[in-house]
Amino acid sequence: MSIAVVLLTAALVIVFALLAAASAGKLARMDGASYPSAVRSAAAAFTVTLSLASAVTAAIAAVYT
């Protein structure tokens, strides 16, 4: 696998994580949460998305090795 594919995949995962974080923050804010609470929700969504992506990557790597 070339380095370009790895970098593009990493960038795509980060973009999806940012979209999930922005959506979580916006939904929390629409629900009436304060700004610090909405940021906390967005940060949690970002962290969970990146953790899920790394877990899936580890599982796929284990299958192929």
Side-chain angles (χ1 to χ4, degrees):
M1 187 180 303
S2 71
I3 190 71
V5 173
V6 172
L7 289 176
L8 286 173
T9 304
L12 186 64
V13 166
I14 290 173
V15 167
F16 279 140
L18 287 172
L19 285 172
S23 299
K26 179 65 177 173
L27 287 173
R29 194 65 188 127
M30 287 174 58
D31 196 35
S34 64
Y35 281 111
S37 177
V39 169
R40 191 177 310 119
S41 174
F46 183 77
T47 304
V48 167
T49 304
L50 287 182
S51 298
L52 180 64
S54 66
V56 168
T57 303
I60 291 172
V63 170
Y64 283 115
T65 58

